[in-house]
Structure formats: C-alpha cells, structure tokens
C-alpha cells in the first residue's frame, strides 16, 4: 500500500533568494500537511551521506558543495499519494524541463540549484525523513 508521507528539502538557492515562504505556502495550498519541519545547514559529511546513492555520478561533488552552501528547510509532509503528488507539484529535476506552474519552473535556476528536493519512492521517503528527524520531532 502506498505510504502517505514524503520528505522534502527547500534547497540553499531557494532560501537565499527568499522563496522559502512562498514555496511552503504552495505546498500547504496543494493539500500537504507538515508533520516535521527543520531549518538547518548540512555539513559536508552529512550531505555526502544523504546523497550517498549518487556518489558514483559525475555531478556528486558539485551537488554536495551546493547543498552545503547555505541553510535549507527539511520537512516531512503528509497527503494521500504523497510521493507521486509531490513530484508532480515540484516538476522535473531539470527546471528547464519542468512544466509551467510547477515549483521548479517558478523558483529554480539549474539542475543543481533546483530549489527543492522530493523523495522518489515511499522507501526513500522513510529513509530520508529519518536522516533529519527523530521520532520525537515527527507529529
Ligand atoms: P534531487 O532531487 O535533490 O536529487 C539529486 C540531485 O542531484 C538532483 O535533485 C539535482 O539537483 C542534482 N543533479 C545534478 N545533476 C543531475 C543529473 N544529471 N541528474 C539528476 N540529478 C542531478
């Protein structure tokens, strides 16, 4: 059965550009409820670990440097079909390919500075949420 939770990060570019409030508002307006929320900045070791699945990819180094370049918001979100619906809301990984009206289409600049992360599966949503939040921090 599909889980109703997903995990997101509002990335350093969106925070730096002042879009975090507008993005959080869009997420809530789209029907997601916030079950955990944290404003933090990843260390290099933490970013390497979070994105460990990509460590052999050519973009890994740039991705890690970008993700530690400034603070982020991390959140666990709830909605029916959360993983799929959230990926629809944020649009394609590359903002140049993101459909009009999606969060990446409106707020992102490049494939690295792509404003927001969304889990790609129920399994990864659970792993990624646990990376940032203890049970005590999740509603
Ligand atoms: P995210 O959804 O956070 O997951 C991995 C990130 O790697 C992705 O968003 C992009 O910001 C970044 N990235 C950079 N280059 C690529 C690429 N060629 N394919 C996929 N992801 C990439």
């Amino acid at each position: 059965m599909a889980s109703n939770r997903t995990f997101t990060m509002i990335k350093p570019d969106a925070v730096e550009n002042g879009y975090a409030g507008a993005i959080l508002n869009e997420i809530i307006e789209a029907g997601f409820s916030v079950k955990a929320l944290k404003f933090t900045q990843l260390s290099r070791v933490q970013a390497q670990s979070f994105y460990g699945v990509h460590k052999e990819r050519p973009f890994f180094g740039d991705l890690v440097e970008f993700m530690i370049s400034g603070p982020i918001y991390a959140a666990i979100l709830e909605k029916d079909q959360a993983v799929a619906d959230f990926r629809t809301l944020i649009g394609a990984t590359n903002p140049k390919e993101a459909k009009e009206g999606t969060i990446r289409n409106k707020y992102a600049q490049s494939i690295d500075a792509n404003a927001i992360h969304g889990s790609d599966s129920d399994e990864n949503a659970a792993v990624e949420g646990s990376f940032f939040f203890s049970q005590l921090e999740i509603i």
Side-chain angles (χ1 to χ4, degrees):
M1 190 178 110
S3 158
N4 293 324
R5 291 193 173 197
T6 192
F7 171 80
T8 188
M9 290 182 287
I10 299 176
K11 295 189 179 185
D13 58 313
V15 175
E16 170 72 19
N17 292 329
Y19 297 146
I23 291 173
L24 269 175
N25 194 50
E26 288 211 23
I27 290 168
I28 292 163
E29 291 275 309
F32 292 86
S33 58
V34 176
K35 295 293 158 183
L37 180 64
K38 185 173 285 185
F39 184 59
T40 189
Q41 185 159 358
L42 289 167
S43 70
R44 184 169 282 106
V45 169
Q46 287 168 335
Q48 286 169 338
S49 172
F50 182 86
Y51 280 116
V53 65
H54 295 305
K55 66 176 183 292
E56 306 302 336
R57 308 285 294 274
F59 58 82
F60 181 68
D62 286 345
L63 172 62
V64 167
E65 293 310 310
F66 172 68
M67 288 303 297
I68 68 174
S69 66
I72 60 161
Y73 289 87
I76 294 172
L77 304 170
E78 187 170 88
K79 184 184 177 297
D80 61 320
Q81 302 297 329
V83 168
D85 284 2
F86 195 71
R87 287 173 74 80
T88 300
L89 178 69
I90 68 178
T93 304
N94 186 343
K96 292 182 179 65
E97 294 161 11
K99 284 191 185 142
E100 202 169 334
T102 60
I103 288 175
R104 284 174 172 151
N105 170 258
K106 288 195 272 190
Y107 301 109
Q109 288 86 48
S110 69
I111 197 164
D112 278 317
N114 68 348
I116 192 161
H117 168 83
S119 303
D120 64 2
S121 66
D122 290 346
E123 188 186 16
N124 283 338
V127 170
E128 291 170 1
S130 303
F131 184 94
F132 278 90
F133 298 102
S134 72
Q135 282 307 311
L136 272 175
E137 296 172 308
I138 303 171
I139 304 298

